[in-house]
Amino acid sequence: MPLPRQVFIAVIGAGGVGKAFLHQLSKLASNLSCSPSAPTYLSLILLSTSKKSVHHADYKSLSNWETELANSTTPPLPLPRLAEYLVKAPGKVVLVDNTSNQDVADAYPMFLKHGVSIVTPNKKAFSGSYQLWTDIFAAASNGQGSGGCIFHESSVGAGLPVISTLKELVETGDEVRRIEGVFSGTMSFLFNSFMPVGGGGGRFSDEVKTAKDKGFTEPDPRDDLNGLDVARKLTILARLAGLKVESPTSFPVQSLIPKELESCASGDEFMQKLPEFDGKMDDLKKEADKEGKVVRFVGSVDVAKGEVKVGLEKFDTSHPIAALKGSDNIIAFYTKRYGDNPLIIQGAGAGGEVTAMGVTGDLIKALRLLQ
């Protein structure tokens, strides 16, 4: 019978996703410790934000992380020192990066080479330079060798099984021909409201304001409307499908920010001036309506042609992409095996709880490899 084991967990990021993950971690730790066959004891040894950190030199578990973090006056460890701390832990270590920080992403190869495993929703690690992508997976062992393993399911589609499905299609020898879908919960909500099937919808600027008020957009909506978030996700999927995409800016990405407003000093100024540019979006809506179609913000990867693009497209009202509700995502995989009827994954593609679920699921995968 396998012996009980202890695995040490270090967490960077305690925002919406981070806090949701920490609560899920507590439940997971309780379940694993009660396993009748081979109990695993998870010990949270470090919690860090951009401003402070809590950890102990003797790797004592953080029994009350909320209070300990709130009371901490310790600044976060520089990444090289963090690596040193984790490497010296008396057992296997998993680093959970719940940030979107590029510096942390750039350090992944260093952690992995030292045997520290990583689970993360950080898109910047996998959609940055192609060299970083190569370095990360060259350093990762994923069960083969001395390096740490890495999983990033929630870097695309939050808790939806998008990456694991694509990897399985590729690894089992299917021919992935095209990937298409709505990859942003923000853009999904915005266009489902702006041009719902059956007509209606308000002015574009009003719908952006509604999306912002409901918390669907970033504090500055331009960070959603520039299309870069979707471009990052497409970069990740294109690379998994075998394309050597250099970066999220190396293919056409349509920005919905009027050129005249790109230089606005703040998100508030942008929102004040956006109504002046509603005419163009209204014309697009009328044009699509005359054709019996709706407009949606989508991304696509044509694997055969080696083409990736992000932007507005028109869809028949009977198309699955047109029928989306709320902030749902939909991703369609067109492959040789599935023929003309794509494999479709659909559901909530944003939100702290579902994103954290993807991270927690990745942690379970990592634990299976850490023998």
Side-chain angles (χ1 to χ4, degrees):
M1 179 179 291
L3 295 172
R5 62 176 181 155
Q6 185 170 36
V7 177
F8 297 95
I9 310 296
V11 178
I12 305 177
V17 174
K19 286 181 180 177
F21 167 76
L22 287 162
H23 289 301
Q24 292 179 22
L25 176 65
S26 177
K27 294 179 182 179
L28 176 65
S30 177
N31 291 339
L32 292 178
S33 65
C34 296
S35 171
S37 57
T40 295
Y41 299 98
L42 302 182
S43 181
L44 178 64
I45 58 169
L46 178 141
L47 176 58
S48 178
T49 68
S50 61
K51 297 181 179 178
K52 58 173 68 176
S53 175
V54 56
H55 60 280
H56 304 289
D58 60 359
Y59 299 94
K60 182 177 69 175
S61 181
L62 307 182
S63 56
N64 189 343
W65 61 265
E66 287 182 280
T67 301
E68 291 180 75
L69 183 64
N71 294 335
S72 174
T73 57
T74 304
L77 292 173
L79 292 170
R81 284 190 57 202
L82 173 60
E84 290 176 12
Y85 174 76
L86 298 182
V87 168
K88 292 177 181 176
K92 298 287 188 180
V93 178
V94 180
L95 174 63
V96 183
D97 174 21
N98 287 317
T99 76
S100 60
N101 187 291
Q102 186 67 61
D103 290 337
V104 178
D106 290 341
Y108 284 4
M110 173 183 67
F111 287 111
L112 293 165
K113 287 175 183 175
H114 284 91
V116 176
S117 295
I118 297 171
V119 297
T120 181
N122 190 344
K123 290 185 285 292
K124 292 180 180 176
F126 311 97
S127 63
S129 71
Y130 192 75
Q131 185 61 54
L132 177 59
W133 168 274
T134 302
D135 290 346
I136 288 173
F137 290 104
S141 67
N142 278 34
Q144 308 292 323
S146 59
C149 60
I150 187 162
F151 293 96
H152 60 106
E153 182 70 72
S154 45
S155 63
V156 178
L160 297 176
V162 178
I163 286 177
S164 54
T165 299
L166 176 55
K167 289 180 70 174
E168 201 162 280
L169 289 170
V170 172
E171 290 169 1
T172 58
D174 199 354
E175 180 185 320
V176 180
R177 294 169 174 168
R178 186 161 58 94
I179 304 168
E180 180 183 59
V182 173
F183 294 88
S184 163
T186 302
M187 292 300 208
S188 179
F189 177 84
L190 180 56
F191 280 90
N192 293 340
S193 301
F194 172 64
M195 194 173 185
V197 173
R203 296 190 309 165
F204 187 70
S205 60
D206 289 339
E207 299 299 351
V208 173
K209 183 179 184 303
T210 299
K212 183 176 186 296
D213 291 345
K214 288 181 176 289
F216 284 113
T217 73
E218 295 294 327
D220 186 339
R222 288 176 294 179
D223 292 337
D224 295 292
L225 297 176
N226 64 14
L228 187 57
D229 176 69
V230 176
R232 288 191 178 280
K233 295 171 183 176
L234 266 290
T235 298
I236 295 169
L237 296 183
R239 287 173 174 175
L240 289 171
L243 300 183
K244 293 184 177 181
V245 177
E246 180 52 40
S247 74
T249 58
S250 62
F251 53 84
V253 178
Q254 182 179 2
S255 172
L256 301 186
I257 302 171
K259 288 192 180 298
E260 297 88 341
L261 300 186
E262 289 177 350
S263 60
C264 285
S266 67
D268 289 340
E269 181 187 349
F270 169 77
M271 289 301 297
Q272 288 172 2
K273 294 182 177 179
L274 186 59
E276 299 170 20
F277 299 87
D278 277 334
K280 185 176 180 181
M281 294 300 291
D282 284 340
D283 289 344
L284 187 63
K285 180 195 282 192
K286 292 174 184 175
E287 180 183 298
D289 189 49
K290 286 180 181 177
E291 298 175 19
K293 297 182 177 183
V294 294
V295 177
R296 297 292 183 259
F297 194 85
V298 300
S300 63
V301 179
D302 189 319
V303 180
K305 294 181 180 178
E307 295 177 352
V308 185
K309 64 178 180 177
V310 172
L312 294 173
E313 291 190 28
K314 299 172 189 172
F315 292 90
D316 290 330
T317 55
S318 59
H319 195 285
I321 285 179
L324 276 186
K325 302 295 183 184
S327 60
D328 277 6
N329 285 185
I330 184 170
I331 298 92
F333 295 107
Y334 294 83
T335 77
K336 183 176 181 180
R337 286 183 190 147
Y338 282 87
D340 294 332
N341 294 315
L343 169 60
I344 291 178
I345 298 171
Q346 180 177 339
E353 288 291 337
V354 290
T355 302
M357 182 195 77
V359 178
T360 304
D362 276 350
L363 175 58
I364 293 170
K365 295 172 191 173
L367 293 174
R368 291 182 184 134
L369 297 181
L370 297 180
Q371 301 302 330

